[in-house]
Amino acid sequence: MMEMWHAGLGWPTATTLLAFSFASSFITIAFGIGGGAVMLAVLATLLPAPAIIPVHGLVQLGSNAGRAAIMTRYMRFDLLGPFAAGALIGILIGGSLVVQLEPGWIQMGVGLFILWSVLAKPPAFLRRSGAVTGTVSSFLTMFFGGTGPFVATYVKAQELDRHAHVATHAMFMTLQHLLKTIMFGILGFAFSIWAGLIALLIAAGVLGTLAGRLMLAKIDDRRFGIVLTVVLSLLAMRLIYAGASDVFFSTAAEAPTGGSN
């Protein structure tokens, strides 16, 4: 009976995941971004490969939904329609190709886009295009999982105050992770095996959200913008490095040795 709560991973592993779920939600609401990538990295270390993206998606759905629920009054609902339409298209396309793209190239592409968006102001058509952001980020989330920084570049371009930024980003990510979870269910992922652990991770995430909200109230808009830019830049460079390493080592492993028989 107790095994259902740790999905067969054991309590030491489950406890570690719970601690990081709390910390990742705290980071996201306090600093606007970054927690999802932290949680993804931990899950990628401790979970079987086929479970990483689906479990991450459902945990982030719960975490973002909790964050959105307590910050509803700050949401920019006028930005939701175009993003939602794009997200649906991206999930449908990504779901049909989910096993056919090299993750290393996707990581580098996302990282380069984020870095470019931080260092150079996005062009007007992209700053206004929630549909493009929804389509591309939702397509990528089927393969990479942690596209929160990608979505944050669009939200950042709207020049919202810190509360509206966090709330609107949570709204977008809740929708994206909901659509992704539905798609993985259609594709046959057995969420029931992980249900107990996921429930505990979501609960820990909600507690992290409540704790992080206290920190958010103490940060002024200027400092929030600086922290957001630094975090986005670091995540982008991490993605570029991880993607390049994956592509390089894959290419090296496949290269002929040049020996003779």
Side-chain angles (χ1 to χ4, degrees), residues 31-253:
F31 300 113
I33 196 64
V38 171
M39 195 65 200
L40 181 64
V42 176
L43 291 173
T45 303
L46 300 177
L47 263 58
I52 294 169
I53 301 301
V55 171
H56 177 264
L58 191 50
V59 171
Q60 290 301 299
L61 169 60
S63 178
N64 281 282
R67 185 159 53 255
I70 66 174
M71 302 192 74
T72 303
R73 65 193 178 106
Y74 298 107
M75 289 179 183
R76 284 285 302 275
F77 288 103
D78 57 304
L79 301 174
L80 180 60
F83 181 89
L88 181 59
I89 294 171
I91 291 292
L92 290 173
I93 297 174
S96 67
L97 301 172
V98 71
V99 295
Q100 299 182 29
L101 291 181
E102 290 291 335
W105 289 108
I106 295 173
Q107 286 179 306
M108 284 194 292
V110 174
L112 287 169
F113 175 84
I114 295 170
L115 199 57
W116 168 76
S117 298
V118 170
L119 298 177
K121 193 172 184 178
F125 80 90
L126 187 57
R127 296 200 306 273
R128 292 194 297 264
S129 185
V132 172
T133 301
T135 300
V136 177
S137 65
S138 298
F139 172 79
L140 292 174
T141 196
M142 294 298 296
F143 307 91
F144 173 66
T147 56
F150 190 105
V151 177
T153 60
Y154 168 70
V155 180
K156 184 174 184 287
Q158 308 311 305
E159 299 180 348
L160 308 175
D161 65 60
R162 63 191 185 280
H163 288 87
H165 176 100
V166 172
T168 302
H169 185 264
M171 174 179 69
F172 287 160
M173 298 309 296
T174 297
L175 174 64
Q176 185 179 93
H177 287 303
L178 174 61
L179 293 175
K180 179 169 68 175
T181 297
I182 293 172
M183 177 56 71
F184 274 115
I186 293 173
L187 293 174
F189 182 77
F191 282 106
S192 59
I193 298 173
W194 300 90
L197 178 60
I198 288 173
L200 292 179
L201 292 174
I202 291 174
V206 171
L207 293 177
T209 293
L210 294 173
R213 189 183 183 189
L214 299 177
M215 177 67 72
L216 179 65
K218 298 178 181 179
I219 302 175
D220 62 40
D221 287 340
R222 185 182 65 83
R223 291 180 180 176
F224 176 80
I226 293 173
V227 171
L228 180 60
T229 297
V230 171
V231 171
L232 284 172
S233 299
L234 291 175
L235 288 173
M237 289 186 285
R238 174 189 172 277
L239 289 174
I240 294 168
Y241 174 79
S245 298
D246 183 66
V247 170
F248 173 78
F249 286 119
S250 296
T251 302

